[in-house]
Amino acid sequence: MNNAKQVISVLAITIILRSLTGCSSPPCGAGSGEVKDEAACVGRTVDTFPAADEDYFADMDYGVTKNKQVVGQSLAPFVPGITPELAVSAVIKGRNNWIVWSAGNDKFWDFMATESRGNLDLLKTLSNYDKDNNNGPTYNRDNRWHYLGLVNEPCFEQGNGPRADRYGLRLDHRTLGCAKDPFENEEKYPGVKIGARGANIEVGSFYGYASGVVGLRLFPNPNFDAQAESNWDAVRYYDDPGYFNNKDLVRPYRVGMSCGFCHVGPNPTNPPSDPENPSWANLNSNPGAQYFWVDRIFSYEADESSFPYQLFHSSRPGALDTSLVSSDYINNPRTMNAIYNLVPRLQNAKNFAEEKLAQGSLDNAQLNDYLPKTSPLTAFYKAPDTVYTPRVLKDGADSVGALGALNRVYVNIGLFSEEWTTHFRPLVGGKDISPFPIKVARKNSIYWQANEAQTPDLALFFVASAKPDYLKNAPGGNKYLTLNNEQLSQGKAVFAENCAGCHSSKLPEKAYRFFPNGCVNEYYLECWDNYEKWVVTDEFKTQMTAMVKQPDFLENNFLSNELRVPVSLLETNLCSPLATNGIKGNIWDNFTSESYKNLPSVGSVPVHHPMTGAISQYAMPAGGRGYTRPASLISLWSSAPYLLNNTVGDFYASGSVDDRMRSFKSGIEKMLWPEKRTGNGMFKTQNGKMLPGQIDRTSTVSYLRVPAGYLPGAFSGLQSTLQRWLPWLVGDDGVEIGPIPKGTPVGLLSNINLDSPLKVAPAVLRALKALKKIPKDASNEQAIAIFEQYDVANELISVSKCPDYVVNKGHYFGTQYLGDSPGLDDEDKYALIEFLKTM
């Protein structure tokens, strides 16, 4: 095929793919820099969005807000002159922001229900499905935790069927005798009156209605006008694909998502006896959604033959690709961050993490904008362009200050989506990405302004509440802790000599000299190399061992230095450090520092061919990519499985102390004895030794489908013609790309670099040509043979944005698989494990 024909064919395919995505009309204005959010559209001002001050969640987080004096004492060092009453008020408002504030993102998640072709329909995620329902999964409130990994909200029950007061939706009912949810008070927290709200349907509160699931709130849909109501059929919404697979379907409610959806979880030291029915005292705001099943939540039908399901299935429970929506064309599931010891984390940043801001990153709010100059928290920003910052994302990209990192999280779950989605094409990509501008958000979004006003209280909430969860305080926890002080002392020495250089924020003073002014620039690798050489010297080991053996070593220790560690040393999967959302000119450009954008390349690293196992070298790019910050080891006993994607260790899902310890034992042994890891192949480490490794592959023959109801109206008139010319693509029910053979590496398809569509065109066309040759009734063996005939794997690897497919490799410290080290002996490893349990 000549170049002209290639371009024409690619354009034709691009038109088809882009026609699969709809885009709802903005309420006010059009285009980047001009569009306003719904609140600004109707003239609301930021003062009409007050932070909620009811202490509804008083029993959560070890009851932190019940003791004014303790809260006052915890905040007094950071907010001079604050009274216990004001301190508790700030903490209450911060927690309410975390758990019930969705910042107007209900519009975004309603849009995503259509954009995902109905896969990501949160209104169905909230619903109770009948046991005899054959058109979807069978789950409801009684098994929601075990099936979805979502936290059931206390004071709700499943009820006896559809709710008349919710347009026949099968939603949870509030339990009789429970106090009313104060955030539903529409007089105190009046919702945004727009469209059908206040005309055809109620307005409600700007915090929405409680849904029965922590972190998800219901909002009356302003598009649910009289016509939409006349077309609404709740029975068909659940049971008739011909009805609910329709881009024009208007649901009576939109679902808003708070940060708590991905971060509230069972209290590790006070777990519920029945995880389906927790009390508020059984829940904490900060451990992260460790049991969250992405494949079931984001693909509610859980259809194994659907490629989106196969893609989501590569996310282990508790892991999520945060760049899924603003796609960087890399399948990159990572664990949801726990939030512990914020003050020590900030202090560590003061020692290690000085960074420079420029251009759009200068527009981020800083704690200095809200606190007295005498507050120690104002020391983390020095005008005009210097920050000392925690690194929230695992690739160390968040680098503009604590408040900027928090605000970015809200944008990533839909805050001011009217502007955000003008800078990329959600989910599928295929459009040039440009930065989301903070300056524009501050001008055109009232929700952004309200969010910025509330994030300082959120930070103070974490200062007061984000404390470690210790195994010794858990019911039955002591039976897992050693009474052998000699073994524990040995474990401390092993930790000091082998782990503390990365996994402690308390270090010998000399450590900080290796990173003058953060050393976050083109010379960073030189600073890192010098530090790495020092931490293996007797000088470091002697001083560090003395520190670790101090009785207060674990107190106020973040148990990570948050330095950016080169992936060439870690040997972990490359897809996380290859993430591009934060690099210069990309979507999070304003939320990353100039220092990050100037980081050097870590060099070339080996990758394995997913079919043959052959090794080749991949040159890592510069400009921020190639690094991973060490995870904090706080409450390590409660957070298994391990690695940044939860791939190492068996997963036991109840949340009980015993199951957490079963997961811990499995995970920590596979970290320290990598030969115990499971996999579907054997792969070579950088020192030439073989280990089992896992490549995520499709579990059955699968297809990428788009039901006809989600296609543009013009499709129906062209359907018969398209079926005649493209029978391998267009059928009676819509568009279907496939069959994709069972055993296909998921990353082959999910990691195609669409940043440059014309460059990848030949490879994509060859893959499509192979698909065209596969008969509808072909066996999997026939499909594989055709893929091999057309060399599909090598074609797609050649245009991959992350050609690394082994997901559970790396972090071989303390083992024989790193360099020429003989590794720790078993006695040292078991001693280390005993010390790790105490963290």
Side-chain angles (χ1 to χ4, degrees), residues 403-419:
L403 294 188
L406 287 171
N407 284 320
R408 186 203 60 78
V409 171
Y410 287 90
V411 179
N412 204 39
I413 58 173
L415 167 59
F416 198 21
S417 61
E418 293 90 341
E419 173 71 32

Side-chain angles (χ1 to χ4, degrees), residues 64 67-91 343 371-378 459-465 467:
V64 61
N67 193 322
K68 292 181 181 180
Q69 295 303 319
V70 171
V71 174
Q73 290 169 8
S74 67
L75 296 190
F78 309 104
V79 188
I82 195 170
T83 65
E85 290 74 19
L86 289 175
V88 167
S89 176
V91 171
V343 173
L371 297 173
K373 292 181 180 180
T374 52
S375 168
L377 295 178
T378 63
L460 294 177
F461 163 61
F462 288 128
V463 168
S465 68
K467 308 300 183 185

Side-chain angles (χ1 to χ4, degrees), residues 151-171:
V151 177
N152 277 328
E153 184 171 349
C155 274
F156 279 83
E157 57 192 19
Q158 184 173 324
N160 296 319
R163 289 183 57 172
D165 63 337
R166 290 287 185 262
Y167 294 93
L169 290 164
R170 303 172 192 170
L171 303 176

Side-chain angles (χ1 to χ4, degrees), residues 1-10 765:
M1 180 180 291
N2 61 39
N3 289 338
K5 288 183 178 179
Q6 285 182 350
V7 171
I8 292 171
S9 298
V10 169
L765 285 170

